[in-house]
Amino acid sequence: MRKRELTGRSSARWAGSITKATHDQWALARRGQVAHLAWLRGQIAAIEARLARPLGAKADKREGLARGYASRGEWHAKSRRLQTLKDRLAVVEVDRAAGRVHVVRGGKRLANARHHLEAAGLSEQAWRERWRAERMFLAADGESGKRFGNETIRVTDTGQVSLKLPTPLAHLANAPHGRYLLDATVRFRHRGAEWRDRITANRAVAYRIHHDTVRGRWYVTASWQRTATPVLPLEAALAHGVVGVDMNDDHLAAWQLDVHGNPIGDPQRYFYDLTGSTEHRDAQIRHALTRLLNHTRRCGAAAIAIEDLDFTDGKCREKHGRNKCFRRLLSRFPTARLKARLVSMAAEQDIAVVAVDPAYTSRWGAQHWQKPLTTPRRKTSRHDAASIAIGRRALGHPIRRRTAPPHPDQSDRGGHRTAQARPEIRRREEPRPHIPGPHTRCALPGSGAKAGDQGAQHRSAHPAEQQSWQQDSLPLGL
């Protein structure tokens, strides 16, 4: 219905682009509304569970009981917050039932900056220009089979841009078939060859034209959907080793491991700064991941191992309420954003991504790998050791290593090893299990000493294999 109304005032192509963009924005807002509902209900349940406990009560994980609040003042403040959250939940539930969402075209942050121009460092005229630029819509989806992959906004292989004008503006056309040809040309530096291959084959390419008021420039953004990447078997991906990556709030710690789980070369660190605007944070993550992928290709590895982290439950106030620094650290930790970026960027270079369990990787890595790999010329950090633990877990090897030196003999005076070998492995430091055949490598069954269970006396057979005997009683004296 909306598309039909817009078609009369513009054209079918522009009406389709506008309605599709509006529907996508509404669907995104609905998904955010569902997530906000789940967050509110979780917060309410957590606060109610703690309010029901006595003051100062400790948590009991076995019984499923939360800890109580520390003081009466904190209990009172949380009870007031509970009522506030319940009121917010009721409002969101009404909007959800009515299918209503709240979207600010142009951005909520920029809209609020209108009331704080001095703090934002903007004048009213500068803010008005940015507001109009953000609210301007000039985008069109691609169409496979059409010339250069898009009939509404067309970009040729030489960089010429032309627009299909709507019917009310058809008299302004300066090119045949009601098109308006721009004087300026565009050039795509990033993936330009792939873009040129698509438009040459008339495959769909979507374009968006926007104005940057700060730089005073117009930009054209091209996007397209890639085909699904085939899933590489895990054995084939790990055939040439793996690069273990430990994610942190300010850098990525990486170390290459061979197929046996041994670290190769020196550790690598890729730093990024997650302060500032969203565009700056995204650029920092993309730059760090690009360096990581280039290092992986130089190493010859075909897989990257990362931790499957998710701090959704750990960001709430009820879990780390008093530790604000730790909550701030978890909030800015790039878990979902970094994993999504890494998967998409690794697929471009045919590199597999293996997600492993993050349990105890930092603790066990520092315990078993940090000190042995530290040299006078190389200082191994806790994060570097954690990257080794992550890589070994992806390869299927245990994180622990045999740190103690080999025993000079079968006695225990050298101490037990940190990680014992499995029972089926020969030449290990414990008695072998009983299996059919010779008990030792030089004696036949039924004779000789058993390995690991030798008798103290020197006889031709094992003490357990000797015939039993009983000493005669002594004669009684008269």
Side-chain angles (χ1 to χ4, degrees):
M1 189 66 178
R2 295 179 59 247
K3 181 179 179 181
R4 186 179 304 173
E5 295 177 358
L6 291 174
T7 301
R9 287 182 280 178
S10 58
S11 65
R13 296 185 181 277
W14 284 111
S17 299
I18 294 173
T19 52
K20 184 180 183 303
T22 305
H23 177 74
D24 293 343
Q25 186 67 33
W26 180 86
L28 178 61
R30 289 284 284 183
R31 292 195 296 270
Q33 192 179 60
V34 172
H36 188 50
L37 276 173
W39 180 83
L40 287 174
R41 290 166 181 166
Q43 291 287 301
I44 291 174
I47 294 177
E48 287 179 344
R50 295 191 63 183
L51 288 175
R53 297 279 290 163
L55 295 178
K58 295 184 179 180
D60 191 348
K61 293 184 179 180
R62 294 185 178 180
E63 299 294 335
L65 299 176
R67 72 177 188 274
Y69 289 109
S71 62
R72 186 68 182 177
E74 186 179 5
W75 188 95
H76 179 68
K78 291 297 181 179
S79 62
R80 296 184 60 184
R81 175 172 172 78
L82 177 62
Q83 300 302 323
T84 303
L85 293 177
K86 287 184 176 180
D87 294 340
R88 291 168 58 184
L89 177 62
V91 174
V92 177
E93 286 179 344
V94 171
D95 291 342
R96 175 68 181 177
R100 182 172 54 251
V101 296
H102 301 275
V103 178
V104 180
R105 298 191 180 277
K108 182 178 179 181
R109 180 178 299 179
L110 185 59
N112 292 333
R114 174 63 180 86
H115 308 286
H116 309 279
L117 294 177
E118 185 176 353
L122 297 173
S123 62
E124 184 176 355
Q125 182 64 24
W127 178 89
R128 185 70 60 182
E129 292 179 358
R130 290 185 57 183
W131 179 252
R132 291 174 178 173
E134 292 293 336
R135 291 172 60 88
M136 185 188 65
F137 178 84
L138 196 60
D141 293 335
E143 301 172 87
S144 296
K146 297 295 183 179
R147 191 178 181 185
F148 297 108
N150 198 315
E151 187 69 17
T152 307
I153 302 178
R154 180 181 298 173
V155 182
T156 64
D157 53 351
T158 58
Q160 291 184 345
V161 183
S162 61
L163 306 177
K164 179 67 175 180
L165 295 178
T167 304
L169 301 178
H171 63 280
L172 300 177
N174 59 358
H177 308 291
R179 307 193 66 87
Y180 187 87
L181 182 64
L182 302 182
D183 295 335
T185 59
V186 299
R187 181 174 53 179
F188 298 100
R189 295 182 177 272
H190 182 60
R191 298 181 183 175
E194 186 175 356
W195 166 79
R196 189 173 291 104
D197 294 340
R198 291 189 66 90
I199 65 172
T200 304
N202 295 332
R203 301 176 63 184
V205 179
Y207 296 102
R208 177 178 178 267
I209 303 177
H210 61 280
H211 182 217
D212 190 346
T213 58
V214 178
R215 299 181 179 179
R217 297 178 180 177
W218 288 85
Y219 291 89
V220 179
T221 303
S223 60
W224 57 86
Q225 186 177 5
R226 295 181 54 88
T227 57
T229 304
V231 179
L232 188 67
L234 185 61
E235 295 77 8
L238 301 176
H240 302 284
V242 69
V243 176
V245 179
D246 180 56
M247 296 185 296
N248 302 281
D249 65 325
D250 60 344
H251 76 284
L252 299 175
W255 208 320
Q256 180 191 4
L257 282 76
D258 60 10
V259 294
H260 305 288
N262 301 317
I264 302 175
D266 294 329
Q268 305 293 326
R269 300 181 185 93
Y270 306 105
F271 293 90
Y272 46 78
D273 183 15
L274 297 182
T275 59
S277 61
T278 305
E279 292 79 6
H280 177 263
R281 295 195 301 266
D282 187 70
Q284 288 285 313
I285 291 178
R286 284 190 284 106
H287 180 60
L289 293 181
T290 301
R291 297 173 59 194
L292 172 64
L293 293 173
N294 293 338
H295 170 69
T296 304
R297 291 180 61 88
R298 288 193 302 267
C299 294
I304 294 176
I306 61 173
E307 296 175 296
D308 191 10
L309 293 174
D310 186 11
F311 295 125
T312 304
D313 298 335
K315 297 179 182 179
C316 63
R317 298 182 180 180
E318 305 306 319
K319 191 170 184 179
H320 306 288
R322 294 181 177 272
N323 196 344
K324 293 184 179 180
C325 295
F326 188 69
R327 285 197 295 115
R328 190 179 298 112
L329 174 65
L330 295 182
S331 298
R332 70 187 184 193
F333 214 88
T335 52
R337 187 186 304 111
L338 191 143
K339 287 189 295 185
R341 279 287 184 186
L342 179 60
V343 170
S344 61
M345 296 176 65
E348 297 290 337
Q349 304 188 24
D350 296 332
I351 297 177
V353 178
V354 182
V356 301
D357 185 5
Y360 304 105
T361 53
S362 298
R363 181 181 301 179
W364 289 351
Q367 179 181 355
H368 300 285
W369 293 97
Q370 184 176 6
K371 185 176 180 181
L373 294 177
T374 301
T375 63
R377 296 185 178 181
R378 181 181 63 193
K379 183 179 180 181
T380 304
S381 65
R382 184 184 182 92
H383 306 296
D384 299 331
S387 64
I388 298 178
I390 295 170
R392 288 180 64 88
R393 182 167 286 178
L395 292 168
H397 300 303
I399 297 178
R400 297 183 296 176
R401 60 188 300 271
R402 296 167 67 93
T403 56
H407 295 312
D409 48 38
Q410 292 294 332
S411 64
D412 292 336
R413 63 176 172 226
H416 291 284
R417 293 184 184 270
T418 304
Q420 295 290 350
R422 295 187 299 272
E424 64 271 12
I425 298 179
R426 299 178 66 86
R427 296 187 180 182
R428 67 190 188 93
E429 297 300 333
E430 294 294 336
R432 294 189 296 272
H434 177 73
I435 56 178
H439 294 284
T440 61
R441 297 184 181 180
C442 59
L444 296 176
S447 62
K450 295 181 179 178
D453 192 16
Q454 300 177 1
Q457 59 269 43
H458 299 279
R459 296 186 179 182
S460 60
H462 194 269
E465 300 174 357
Q466 302 297 323
Q467 297 180 357
S468 61
W469 60 277
Q470 183 178 4
Q471 183 178 4
D472 297 335
S473 59
L474 295 176
L476 298 176
L478 299 175

